[in-house]
Amino acid sequence: MRNPVITVRDLVKKYGDFTAVNGISFEVGEGEIFGLLGPNGAGKTTTLEIIETLREKTSGSVTVHGFDLDRHPQEIKKIIGVQLQAAGYYPNLHLKQLIALFAGLYNREVDALALLDTVNLRDKARNRFKELSGGQKQRFSIATTLINEPKVIFLDEPTTGLDPQARRNLWDLIRQVRDRGATVVLTTHYMDEAEALCERVAIVDSGQIIAIDTP
């Protein structure tokens, strides 16, 4: 494996008596597309949200590009991009306005049309978010993760609900994101998606990794 940029050791997340993540450990190499594969409720999203600094862990350790989650969460936030299962965008703003909004949050100057080019949405620049198809919404969601030029991008079930052509278009986009130099971590419950995209896959069930290897 290439130089690890994410290291997770003995990660645990409990909600009262329920253990959602039960001692998960893995590493992700630089420039890798790494997948967490498993059924709904397996603990994939919880694991991602802890690494993304969105959810507190119960125990264990996480480092991202050398930054410890407990000591440097703000530094981690600066170098990651996050595409959530359900992204909440202002539905009546058009895409250029939404990019300007996100760029302002990151305090960055962004060429909105050039960014939309990367996800093949330039022709939708003046369309409102609510006017996009499901696949276009997912592609735009990934575009917003690129605004801060992240070193690591997290995609949580990015193709759920998409038709076959839209899924494959999104697969191509994910490969392009990796080819631009980012490390990609994604969750999925589609075995064909894990096989097509991921260089390594961790199979997660009941909060534990039961296998980890190439597809």
Side-chain angles (χ1 to χ4, degrees), residues 142-156:
I142 291 177
T144 62
T145 72
L146 303 175
I147 287 174
N148 64 325
E149 299 179 351
K151 295 180 179 180
V152 184
I153 291 176
F154 296 95
L155 307 174
D156 196 3

Side-chain angles (χ1 to χ4, degrees), residues 38-55:
N40 289 332
K44 307 183 305 294
T45 295
T46 301
T47 298
L48 240 61
E49 289 179 346
I50 291 170
I51 302 170
E52 295 161 354
T53 77
L54 298 176
R55 192 178 297 277

Side-chain angles (χ1 to χ4, degrees), residues 1-2 28-35 174-175 178-179 182-184 186 193-202 212-215:
M1 189 185 68
R2 284 158 282 187
V28 180
E30 187 172 9
E32 184 175 27
I33 299 180
F34 182 87
I174 291 168
R175 293 187 189 101
R178 186 272 316 276
D179 292 344
T183 300
V184 179
L186 63 89
E193 182 160 281
E195 184 171 9
L197 281 179
C198 299
E199 294 162 68
R200 288 188 308 127
V201 177
I212 184 168
D213 211 328
T214 64

Side-chain angles (χ1 to χ4, degrees), residues 21-181:
V21 177
N22 190 10
I24 280 180
S25 298
F26 62 91
E27 291 183 333
V28 180
E30 187 172 9
E32 184 175 27
I33 299 180
F34 182 87
L36 294 172
L37 171 68
N40 289 332
K44 307 183 305 294
T45 295
T46 301
T47 298
L48 240 61
E49 289 179 346
I50 291 170
I51 302 170
E52 295 161 354
T53 77
L54 298 176
R55 192 178 297 277
E56 290 187 1
K57 60 183 173 62
T58 302
S59 63
S61 66
V62 175
T63 59
V64 181
H65 267 278
F67 294 113
D68 181 85
L69 177 65
D70 293 326
R71 291 181 291 172
H72 304 291
Q74 295 303 320
E75 296 303 317
I76 291 176
K77 289 177 182 178
K78 293 176 184 177
I79 60 171
I80 65 173
V82 178
Q83 180 257 336
L84 305 173
Q85 276 186 16
Y89 296 100
Y90 294 108
N92 289 311
L93 294 183
H94 60 63
L95 301 194
K96 284 186 68 176
Q97 291 172 323
L98 286 168
I99 289 172
L101 174 64
F102 274 78
L105 294 174
Y106 284 115
N107 195 27
R108 283 178 175 261
E109 293 286 335
V110 174
D111 183 335
L113 292 179
L115 183 62
L116 291 172
D117 275 337
T118 67
V119 294
N120 198 27
L121 286 175
R122 176 184 278 258
D123 61 330
K124 301 295 182 181
R126 293 288 179 181
N127 285 60
R128 291 179 292 181
F129 181 77
K130 68 180 183 181
E131 296 169 345
L132 302 182
S133 70
Q136 290 167 344
K137 287 178 179 177
Q138 290 291 66
R139 281 169 22 221
F140 180 73
S141 181
I142 291 177
T144 62
T145 72
L146 303 175
I147 287 174
N148 64 325
E149 299 179 351
K151 295 180 179 180
V152 184
I153 291 176
F154 296 95
L155 307 174
D156 196 3
E157 298 186 7
T159 66
T160 296
L162 301 186
D163 63 63
Q165 182 178 10
R167 286 182 72 213
R168 280 157 179 77
N169 289 341
L170 206 66
W171 291 356
D172 289 339
L173 174 58
I174 291 168
R175 293 187 189 101
Q176 291 167 20
V177 168
R178 186 272 316 276
D179 292 344
R180 290 175 54 175

